[in-house]
Structure formats: structure tokens, C-alpha cells
Amino acid sequence: MSARATAALCLQRVIYEGESLTEVLQDPSVANLNPQDQALLRNMCFGTLRWHERLSAILKQLVKKALKPADKDVECLLRIGLYQLIYQRTPDHAAVNETVKATKKLKKDWAGKLVNGVLRNFLRSPAELLVKADSRVPARYAFPDWLLTRIQQAWPDDWEAILNASNTHAPMILRVNQRQHTASAYQALLQAADIAADLIPAVDSALMLQTPVGVEQLPGFFTGAVSVQDAAAQLAAGLLDCQPGMRVLDACAAPGGKTSHLLEMTDGLHLIAIDESESRLKRVTENFTRLHLQATLVAADAGDTATWWDGQAFDRILLDAPCSATGVIRRHPDIKVLRRASDIAELQQEQAQLLRNLWHTLRPGGKLLYATCSILPEENSHQVEAFLAEHPDATLEPMSVAWGRAQAAGRQILPGEHAMDGFYYALLSKAVQESTQ
């Protein structure tokens, strides 16, 4: 199977079967490709999903009659062809010819003529087709209408910058294990390996590579010297301010980046990491093995405390809550395709329930850090304000930091600010003398 044909099948699973791109890319059909073809496939999948709305608007002009459900793989192949013609430096003739060839790999020889005709029709008047597509704002910014509207309402002065940042390629950010090296010392190791990296002033442990590389090229990666983690996510461990001997809960922990960072920063933590997914917890175990860390892992619904909590209160809780992930679209462009407007209210309910239920497991005087990778206020500051109104024993802790934007409750980072993903944090402390209300 060629990279283009395999990419078309991957896209079909994401767009029409609702699977995440991360899961789809784990398929053996991808792993069996050679490294060069895997890189090409990833580029085509990420790019096609990043510009999905715009490509759809162009395709609608070129294909008047929708293809049958059984032929959505061909439609996805057309999206790939258009993506290459518009956004990549692939020569026009090569993009057309290789896309046509891929129809045979899909065992749909009849589609070759269709693909050839559609792509060549685009090449006859690309400017006109693009102008017509871009007459609709969702297509111009490649965002679904409902999400674009929500972002405009939430961030009326910043929505264009948010969308543009979300449509860029995310940089590769490293978290330096400061038990082994400072960020500056590891930067020197990278330089010696001809890998250029910049410090991120807002985060002591973070480095941004000027050009992404494979992790096998990173000095000491396999001995735990460094991990790949966005700078915004690296803020959590410092905000939680754990001390040796504390009992700490990381709810919704997988894949374990923040869990690992907590353990790297503080000796002697009694840390319990919970996640609903046993398969995702395996990734936490893999991270722990590489980094030589240990914690108690529990496969459970963190909000259903009756199934896992032993009654011993926690000194610190990290609640990295399930969310819309609207702050990390540049890393996961399939979010724009998979997320639905109706999801937000369901996520709000889940977030509120997790906050309420986990609060009871926090000792008086303890702290809970609420975090999301969302940029929607209803999941962030509105959620925390509602919680504070219902819990008189909860106090919002101030954050004296140089990053993000102060909200009515907590701080918000928008995509691309400080070289970070979109992220939200609010730190809550529990009264020493609990209220009897």
C-alpha cells in the first residue's frame, strides 16, 4: 500500500468513523511503511485535517455529486491531492499523477479518471476557486462554524490570532530533567550534537528546538535526561508546589507527562496516578521506566472515588480535566473535525463532577490545581467561579507569574503565546477549618 492510499484510509477513519488521528497512526498499516513514507503520510494527514474546512469548500465546487459512503476513501484521496497542490511544494504534475496512482492501491481503478479530472479542474482556475471558498469565514480560517463563533465570542480582540496560531505547525518543546541537567546545560549538549534550541524564559525546564528531530537524536533521551512536553504543560508541577513526603493525586494522568514532572521535581512523593484507560496507563508505565520513576497507578474513574479512594486525604491534587482540547489544535488538528458543539456541555458536567468529588479527598490546608488545554471560558474561569460559589471552604490562590492572562478566576494562555499551547490553570486551596455549611 502506498503512503497516499494509506493516508486516505487513515483520514476516512478520522473524518467519517470518528477515530482520533493519534489512534489511527498506531495502526500496523502505518508502522509497516518505511520511515520516509511514514513521514509523508503524517504530513498529509495532519495537513489535510488542519485545512479540512477550506478543502471541503473547494471540493464542494469541484465535485457536484457526493460520493457514496463506500467511496469516502476516494474523497479523502481527493482532499490529499488538493492539500498537496495548495499547501505543499510538490510539483503539480507529480501531485496529480501520484494521487491518481493511489486509486489502484485502493483497488478502485474506476476512480482514477475522477481524481485526475477533479485535480486538473482545480489547476485550471485555482485562484478563482480559492477566492470563492474563502468568501465564507469558516473556510477561510479552516475552523468549523460553531467553534469559530465560540472563539469569537470568548476572545473578540484575539480570535484571528488564535485561529492563525492554531493553524501553524507546533514547535517541538523539550522538558529537561533538572535532576540531571539545567536547561542551559542541556542546551549546550544539544548544540554539541548540532541541534539548535532556544530557552523559554517563562519555564525553567523548557527548550524549544528550532527544527524538530527524532527523539533518538536527543542526548540522554533513553536515560531520562529529557522528555517531549509543551511548555504550558510544564507549568503544572511548579504551580502545585509539592514538598517531600506529601501525598499527591494526579487525576486523569495519562500519558503521564505532568506526573513524571512532579516526581522529577520533588523527592519522596507518595503519588497516585489515576486514569480511566488501562491502555493509556501503559504509556505512563513506559515513561516511568525510561525516567526511572515510581508511583502507584490505578485504572479507575477518578470522579468515582468510592471505587478507589482509601480515605486518606491528599496534600495536593492535580486535576488535568477532560476538555475540548481547543488550545492544542495546532498539535491535534483532528479536534476541528471530531469535536461537536454538543460536546462542550457534556464536558462541563464532567469537569464540575470531578471538581466536586475530588475536593472531598483533599485535606484541609491542601491545594488542588485545576487545568485544561481549552481556551473556552465555560470550561475554565466560568467552571472555577461556579465551584467557588458552591464551596465556601475553597479559596482561589493568586499566581504571581509572567505568563498568560489573568481571568476572573485563574490564568489563560492562548495558543502561540510564550511559545506555548493554549492552556488554563486555577489553583484552589482548602480552608484549614472546614465550613459546616
Side-chain angles (χ1 to χ4, degrees):
M1 187 74 76
S2 70
R4 283 173 178 78
T6 306
L9 294 173
C10 289
L11 290 171
Q12 182 181 23
R13 289 171 61 183
V14 174
I15 298 169
Y16 294 106
E17 297 171 26
E19 297 184 56
S20 79
L21 182 59
T22 301
E23 293 173 356
V24 168
L25 292 179
Q26 304 303 313
D27 193 273
S29 64
V30 177
N32 290 337
L33 296 172
N34 65 52
Q36 185 177 355
D37 280 347
Q38 283 190 42
L40 175 62
L41 177 142
R42 290 177 62 85
N43 182 295
M44 291 187 293
C45 287
F46 274 84
T48 301
L49 290 168
R50 182 174 290 116
W51 300 106
H52 176 80
E53 291 290 329
R54 196 174 191 225
L55 295 173
S56 294
I58 296 165
L59 198 58
K60 191 173 181 180
Q61 298 177 66
L62 294 166
V63 180
K64 302 301 182 183
K65 185 178 179 181
L67 292 171
K68 297 175 182 178
D71 296 322
K72 292 301 184 183
D73 51 349
V74 176
E75 181 189 299
C76 291
L77 196 58
L78 284 168
R79 292 176 184 277
I80 290 169
L82 289 170
Y83 166 68
Q84 290 201 294
L85 290 173
I86 299 167
Y87 296 103
Q88 290 193 306
R89 296 179 179 177
T90 310
D92 292 349
H93 68 277
V96 174
N97 292 342
E98 292 301 320
T99 308
V100 170
K101 285 181 185 177
T103 61
K104 295 182 178 179
K105 298 294 183 180
L106 293 174
K107 299 181 179 179
K108 293 188 175 179
D109 291 15
W110 61 267
K113 185 176 180 180
L114 171 68
V115 169
N116 184 67
V118 168
L119 297 183
R120 293 196 181 281
N121 282 342
F122 170 78
L123 289 171
R124 289 188 183 97
S125 53
E128 179 184 337
L129 290 163
L130 288 168
V131 166
K132 188 173 180 180
D134 290 346
S135 64
R136 291 188 64 253
V137 176
R140 189 187 321 152
Y141 289 96
F143 260 71
D145 193 15
W146 73 269
L147 182 53
L148 189 149
T149 300
R150 279 186 184 247
I151 294 172
Q152 287 175 321
Q153 292 170 346
W155 304 99
D157 297 328
D158 301 284
W159 67 271
E160 284 186 283
I162 290 170
L163 302 187
N164 287 330
S166 297
N167 285 333
T168 61
H169 294 261
M172 184 172 179
I173 309 294
L174 305 181
R175 184 188 79 236
V176 178
N177 183 349
Q178 294 183 302
R179 289 175 180 264
Q180 297 188 27
H181 306 281
T182 64
S184 295
Y186 192 78
Q187 183 185 33
L189 290 177
L190 289 173
Q191 187 174 6
D194 292 324
I195 300 173
D198 300 312
L199 297 169
I200 298 178
V203 190
D204 290 343
S205 53
L207 286 169
M208 179 172 65
L209 298 190
Q210 293 181 11
T211 303
V213 300
V215 293
E216 69 281 355
Q217 297 180 52
L218 299 173
F221 177 82
F222 295 108
T223 53
V226 69
S227 300
V228 178
Q229 185 183 40
D230 185 74
Q234 295 182 43
L235 296 168
L239 289 170
L240 208 51
D241 187 30
C242 296
Q243 301 299 319
M246 279 188 170
R247 182 173 162 85
V248 179
L249 171 67
D250 185 356
C252 315
K258 299 181 188 68
T259 323
S260 300
H261 197 193
L262 287 167
L263 294 166
E264 285 177 0
M265 283 188 67
T266 309
D267 285 319
L269 294 183
H270 303 287
L271 193 148
I272 297 175
I274 294 181
D275 200 272
E276 262 188 317
S277 169
E278 287 196 37
S279 61
R280 281 169 56 82
L281 279 176
K282 289 179 182 177
R283 293 185 61 191
V284 181
T285 301
E286 291 168 2
N287 282 327
F288 282 3
T289 300
R290 182 178 63 83
L291 296 167
H292 310 290
L293 300 171
Q294 287 186 326
T296 301
L297 304 184
V298 179
D301 176 357
D304 188 5
T305 56
T307 63
W308 60 266
W309 187 41
D310 61 6
Q312 296 185 59
F314 294 100
D315 300 290
R316 297 286 189 270
I317 296 176
L318 171 59
L319 172 53
D320 188 3
C323 70
S324 62
T326 43
V328 294
I329 285 173
R330 63 182 187 167
R331 295 190 188 280
H332 303 282
D334 53 329
I335 290 166
K336 294 193 285 187
V337 176
L338 298 174
R339 189 66 68 209
R340 298 288 180 266
S342 58
D343 295 342
I344 307 304
E346 294 176 9
L347 287 164
Q348 285 178 269
Q349 290 180 2
E350 185 176 4
Q351 292 154 2
Q353 184 178 19
L354 280 164
L355 268 170
R356 283 194 299 268
N357 294 353
L358 291 176
W359 189 249
H360 297 297
T361 72
L362 183 67
R363 70 163 176 82
K367 294 180 181 180
L368 181 150
L369 182 64
Y370 177 79
T372 78
C373 55
S374 169
I375 58 171
L376 301 180
E378 50 265 53
E379 298 181 86
N380 296 338
S381 56
H382 296 178
Q383 189 71 268
V384 173
E385 286 180 286
F387 178 81
L388 290 168
E390 294 173 2
H391 293 78
D393 61 340
T395 302
L396 184 68
E397 291 283 310
M399 296 183 193
S400 300
V401 295
W403 48 263
R405 302 173 180 219
Q407 303 297 288
R411 294 188 74 85
Q412 179 73 59
I413 305 165
L414 298 180
E417 291 183 336
H418 315 288
M420 297 181 188
D421 288 343
F423 237 86
Y424 172 83
Y425 286 109
L427 185 62
L428 304 171
S429 62
K430 194 170 191 178
V432 174
Q433 182 61 48
E434 291 194 56
S435 171
T436 56
Q437 295 182 30

